[in-house]
């Protein structure tokens, strides 16, 4: 791994970034170098430290990565040189491999040649390590002060370069969008082919046929709905009739219950009358005089039986204990 220091300068925030390890670049916060710019993909590119220096690799980002305006091929790392302009989407950084000096880093990059529209032009910014040609005096100077004299002109050229890069990017974007649209059109064509029609007239004809069928269905639905309404009225009338019959049935059940109660009352009455009749027959068979005679006979029989009982009792006593006088003494 290279022992040199590697720095990126952000001209928008004037921040100097010290790259000391492999760095992931993208819009997501999970990247080592997060860039909050809509033109930057969530996983846009990465910076790779190797023994011979710092490399940049595009990760097949949507708006691509550039070095000195040249679009990188995704998956193919490119080594960075001092004063290279590194661009992720629309976001631009200046690269240095020697020192984190703002005055050194904010000079636009060295471009030996730049391709625009398929044609190669001459370098528009001179190498920092070589003397800068003073445009006004037509003489060479290597001082940083002289570089500052041309900063305005360089910035103007940088703006033009940015616009050209944007045009190239827009052209590439339009070209990419056109390919997407061509693919989309092909998908439309395949779909329409599978549906057996290819023009709006054919589709409208099918829609018209479907609408006719739909209208006929609606008409049939209305007819069926009328029949349903008639049946509903009939069902309502039948339900009322069923309710009337149920009411009549309830009345009959109540009447039957009352009649069953009456039957029990009648049975009770008949039973009582039968008992009364039996009693009458018994009373008729039992005359009062005959009853008195029977009672007298039974009473007389009881008196005789009592006399017989006393005599038997006396005989038993005499035989058991002997006869006794009036004083209780035994008589021989």
């Amino acid at each position: 791994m290279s022992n040199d220091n590697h720095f990126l300068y952000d001209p928008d925030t004037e921040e100097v970034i010290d790259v000391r390890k492999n760095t992931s670049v993208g819009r997501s916060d999970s990247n080592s170098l997060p860039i909050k710019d809509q033109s930057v993909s969530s996983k846009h590119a990465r910076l790779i430290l190797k023994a011979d220096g710092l490399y940049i690799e595009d990760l097949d980002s949507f708006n691509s990565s550039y070095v000195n305006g040249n679009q990188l091929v995704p998956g193919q790392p490119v080594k960075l040189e001092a004063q290279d302009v590194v661009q992720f989407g629309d976001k631009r950084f200046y690269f240095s491999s020697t020192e984190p000096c703002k005055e050194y880093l904010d000079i636009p990059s060295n471009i030996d040649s730049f391709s625009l529209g398929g044609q190669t032009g001459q370098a528009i910014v001179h190498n920092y390590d070589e003397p800068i040609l003073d445009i006004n005096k037509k003489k060479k100077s290597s001082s940083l002060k002289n570089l500052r004299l041309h900063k305005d002109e360089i910035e103007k050229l940088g703006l033009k370069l940015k616009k050209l890069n944007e045009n190239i990017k827009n052209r590439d974007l339009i070209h990419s969008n056109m390919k997407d649209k061509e693919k989309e059109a092909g998908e439309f064509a395949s779909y329409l082919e599978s549906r057996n029609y290819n023009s709006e007239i054919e589709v409208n004809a099918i829609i018209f046929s479907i609408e006719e069928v739909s209208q006929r269905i609606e008409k049939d639905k209305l007819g069926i709905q009328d029949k349903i309404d008639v049946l509903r009225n009939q069902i309502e009338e039948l339900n009322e009739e069923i309710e009337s019959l149920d009411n009549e049935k309830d009345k009959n059940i109540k009447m039957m219950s009352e009649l069953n109660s009456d039957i029990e009352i009648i049975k009770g009455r008949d039973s009582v009358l039968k008992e009364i009749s039996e009693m009458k027959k018994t009373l008729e068979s039992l005359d009062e005089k005959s009853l008195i005679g029977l009672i007298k006979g039974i009473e007389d029989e009881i008196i005789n039986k009592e006399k017989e009982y006393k005599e038997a009792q006396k005989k038993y006593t005499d035989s058991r204990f002997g006869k006794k006088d009036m004083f209780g003494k035994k008589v021989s």
Side-chain angles (χ1 to χ4, degrees):
M1 185 178 293
S2 173
N3 294 323
D4 294 335
N5 292 328
H6 304 283
F7 302 97
L8 290 178
Y9 173 64
D10 186 345
D12 295 328
T13 63
E14 297 186 352
E15 178 184 5
V16 176
I17 302 165
D18 188 355
V19 182
R20 298 191 179 186
K21 60 181 180 179
N22 291 344
T23 302
S24 59
V25 181
R27 195 172 67 254
S28 173
D29 290 334
S30 62
N31 291 288
S32 308
L33 177 55
I35 302 175
K36 298 303 180 181
D37 190 296
Q38 290 302 317
S39 66
V40 178
S41 299
S42 59
K43 298 290 184 182
H44 196 102
R46 61 178 177 174
L47 300 173
I48 306 169
L49 280 173
K50 295 185 179 182
D52 58 341
L54 184 65
Y55 286 73
I56 178 172
E57 178 185 357
D58 183 75
L59 299 178
D60 198 16
S61 60
F62 185 78
N63 289 320
S64 300
S65 302
Y66 300 85
V67 174
N68 301 326
N70 297 313
Q71 185 176 0
L72 301 185
V73 178
Q76 295 185 11
V78 173
K79 184 181 179 183
L80 294 177
E81 303 294 342
Q83 290 190 309
D84 279 349
V85 175
V86 181
Q87 189 170 329
F88 308 106
D90 292 337
K91 183 62 180 177
R92 180 176 298 180
F93 294 87
Y94 298 148
F95 171 71
S96 169
S97 61
T98 56
E99 55 181 334
C101 175
K102 176 181 176 182
E103 286 74 12
Y104 177 81
L105 288 168
D106 67 357
I107 303 299
S109 69
N110 166 40
I111 305 176
D112 292 334
S113 64
F114 178 69
S115 177
L116 177 63
Q119 296 183 3
T120 302
Q122 298 299 320
I124 61 173
V125 178
H126 204 277
N127 192 326
Y128 177 85
D129 298 323
E130 296 178 359
I132 301 297
L133 179 64
D134 189 306
I135 296 175
N136 295 323
K137 298 182 180 180
K138 303 295 182 182
K139 68 180 181 180
K140 293 182 179 180
S141 172
S142 58
S143 68
L144 186 60
K145 182 177 179 180
N146 244 350
L147 293 177
R148 286 297 183 186
L149 295 177
H150 301 287
K151 184 169 176 58
D152 290 340
E153 187 65 27
I154 292 173
E155 287 179 352
K156 291 178 182 179
L157 292 172
L159 291 174
K160 289 182 180 180
L161 177 62
K162 181 179 179 181
K163 187 173 181 179
L164 289 173
N165 284 332
E166 289 175 352
N167 289 338
I168 292 174
K169 186 176 67 176
N170 290 336
R171 179 181 177 277
D172 293 340
L173 181 60
I174 292 171
H175 184 68
S176 175
N177 290 338
M178 185 177 70
K179 287 185 177 179
D180 292 339
K181 291 298 180 182
E182 287 174 349
K183 181 180 178 182
E184 186 177 359
E187 292 174 352
F188 285 149
S190 298
Y191 172 80
L192 292 174
E193 184 177 353
S194 68
R195 302 289 284 181
N196 295 323
Y197 45 68
N198 193 40
S199 68
E200 187 176 348
I201 295 175
E202 294 174 351
V203 177
N204 285 329
I206 296 173
I207 292 173
F208 181 75
S209 299
I210 294 173
E211 287 177 346
E212 284 187 333
V213 173
S214 298
Q215 290 173 1
R216 187 165 62 252
I217 290 173
E218 287 298 322
K219 185 177 179 181
D220 293 342
K221 283 174 60 180
L222 291 175
I224 294 172
Q225 186 62 49
D226 291 339
K227 292 179 181 179
I228 290 173
D229 292 339
V230 171
L231 291 173
R232 281 178 177 170
N233 291 332
Q234 292 177 352
I235 291 172
E236 188 174 351
E237 292 175 356
L238 290 173
N239 284 331
E240 291 176 355
E241 187 174 347
I242 289 172
E243 186 178 356
S244 176
L245 292 173
D246 286 339
N247 292 333
E248 188 68 24
K249 181 181 177 181
D250 291 340
K251 290 180 181 178
N252 291 338
I253 291 173
K254 184 177 180 182
M255 185 180 295
M256 287 176 64
S257 177
E258 292 175 351
L259 290 173
N260 286 326
S261 297
D262 292 345
I263 288 173
E264 294 299 322
I265 292 172
I266 290 171
K267 287 181 178 179
R269 181 204 64 182
D270 292 344
S271 177
V272 171
L273 290 176
K274 184 177 180 181
E275 290 178 2
I276 291 172
S277 177
E278 295 294 329
M279 288 178 181
K280 283 182 179 181
K281 289 180 181 179
T282 303
L283 288 173
E284 289 175 355
S285 64
L286 296 174
D287 179 66
E288 184 178 354
K289 289 182 179 182
S290 62
L291 287 174
I292 292 173
L294 290 172
I295 292 171
K296 178 65 176 171
I298 292 172
E299 288 177 346
D300 290 343
E301 187 177 357
I302 290 172
I303 292 171
N304 291 329
K305 291 293 183 182
E306 286 178 347
K307 287 180 180 181
E308 292 176 359
Y309 174 73
K310 286 181 179 181
E311 289 177 357
Q313 187 178 30
K314 184 179 179 190
K315 287 179 180 181
Y316 172 77
T317 305
D318 290 344
S319 65
R320 176 80 172 169
F321 302 105
K323 293 183 179 181
K324 293 182 180 181
D325 60 14
M326 58 182 299
F327 298 106
K329 292 182 177 181
K330 190 174 181 179
V331 180
S332 59

